[in-house]
Amino acid sequence: MIMTVKKTYEFDPETDLIGKGGFGRVYKAKDVKIGMEVAIKQYSGNLPAKYSLFEEIKRAIRLNHPNLVRYFDAFELEETTTFGDKIQVGVLEYINNGDFMGLLRTKPDVATLTGIFEGIMHGLRYLHNKGIIHRDLKPENILIHKEHGEFIPKIADFGISKVLSENSGESSLVIGSIEYMAPEQFNVVRYGIDKQLHTNLDLWSLGTIIYEAFTGKAPFGKT
């Protein structure tokens, strides 16, 4: 006999919104069954199916590293959008101190920035060793968790991440945040390694973030 188990998450859409972007909104919520704070991500984009929230969850749910945001679950709501689309929802680790861009506005000292960048590099090394390219590393996708006075960076949002084993060469879809994107994301045939995307493009993005953190301005401007 097949049994269905339902979980309940509570949040107020008016007061618990903690982030939004082009492809969804994120809310702080409570797992009622165990009393744990989580983040609920509602997917609302119109990207190709391979970039849907469910596909993001499939790529990220097995990842387990202190410098990556954990993914716990995903499901569809019974109701649909105005256009009849199913509403996809992901359940993620709740991060309590906003994103890196918000932290930069507080003018953190060099020691704090150094610790954050070391954490990001640890997270990227783990990700790259798993054969995954993030492809959208930017200050808004680096969340900060504050614990016992320490700032712990957490790489977030694997919506357009890419598995190296699925590399298929040139794509007509230019996707990401332009000011942080490596040249091969615009023209993989000309700038890619053997006309393919590789993990080094995340290091380009990290370099632009480091530059911005220490100089106060993005190296290639803001869109």
Side-chain angles (χ1 to χ4, degrees):
M1 181 178 66
I2 297 176
M3 298 180 65
T4 300
V5 178
K6 292 185 178 181
K7 296 199 71 173
T8 303
Y9 301 96
E10 288 183 349
F11 66 97
D12 186 333
E14 299 296 325
T15 61
D16 291 326
L17 180 67
I18 55 177
K20 60 181 179 179
F23 310 122
R25 294 171 179 263
V26 182
Y27 301 90
K28 178 182 176 181
K30 182 178 181 180
D31 184 327
V32 176
K33 301 295 184 184
I34 60 177
M36 183 176 74
E37 289 183 332
V38 296
I40 295 289
K41 182 175 182 178
Q42 176 188 337
Y43 175 80
S44 60
N46 58 356
L47 284 169
K50 67 179 178 177
Y51 299 123
S52 71
L53 179 60
F54 279 7
E55 291 303 315
E56 176 182 351
I57 295 287
K58 288 178 184 177
R59 288 191 293 272
I61 200 165
R62 292 181 177 84
L63 301 175
N64 186 5
H65 188 277
N67 297 116
L68 303 180
V69 172
R70 288 295 311 276
Y71 286 65
F72 298 134
D73 197 7
F75 55 90
E76 283 186 337
L77 298 181
E78 295 295 331
E79 60 265 32
T80 59
T81 67
T82 304
F83 301 100
D85 299 321
K86 285 283 188 179
I87 299 173
Q88 296 182 350
V89 175
V91 182
L92 292 76
E93 176 184 9
Y94 171 65
I95 310 301
N96 65 14
N97 205 66
D99 62 31
F100 186 48
M101 185 59 76
L103 183 64
L104 283 178
R105 297 189 187 102
T106 70
K107 308 295 183 182
D109 58 28
V110 172
T112 298
L113 288 175
T114 300
I116 287 172
F117 286 125
E118 285 179 352
I120 295 169
M121 285 187 276
H122 286 310
L124 282 179
R125 180 170 61 184
Y126 172 87
L127 199 62
H128 294 167
N129 285 341
K130 295 287 186 180
I132 297 175
I133 315 169
H134 187 278
R135 288 210 297 176
D136 197 19
L137 201 65
K138 57 184 178 181
E140 293 83 359
N141 281 344
I142 299 168
L143 304 186
I144 305 296
H145 191 75
K146 190 173 184 180
E147 188 172 303
H148 306 302
E150 180 184 0
F151 295 109
I152 304 170
K154 305 262 189 177
I155 299 171
D157 199 340
F158 294 86
I160 63 169
S161 61
K162 187 178 185 68
V163 179
L164 277 174
S165 60
E166 298 172 358
N167 229 335
S168 56
E170 186 174 8
S171 172
S172 60
L173 185 64
V174 176
I175 187 168
S177 301
I178 291 174
E179 57 266 48
Y180 301 100
M181 288 167 59
E184 57 265 40
Q185 290 177 269
F186 298 96
N187 189 333
V188 68
V189 171
R190 182 172 181 179
Y191 298 112
I193 299 174
D194 296 327
K195 302 181 180 180
Q196 301 282 341
L197 297 178
H198 283 272
T199 55
N200 62 312
L201 71 82
D202 285 337
L203 301 183
W204 171 287
S205 300
L206 178 59
T208 65
I209 296 170
I210 293 173
Y211 182 96
E212 183 174 2
F214 284 105
T215 67
K217 59 183 180 181
F220 306 106
K222 291 283 191 178
T223 56

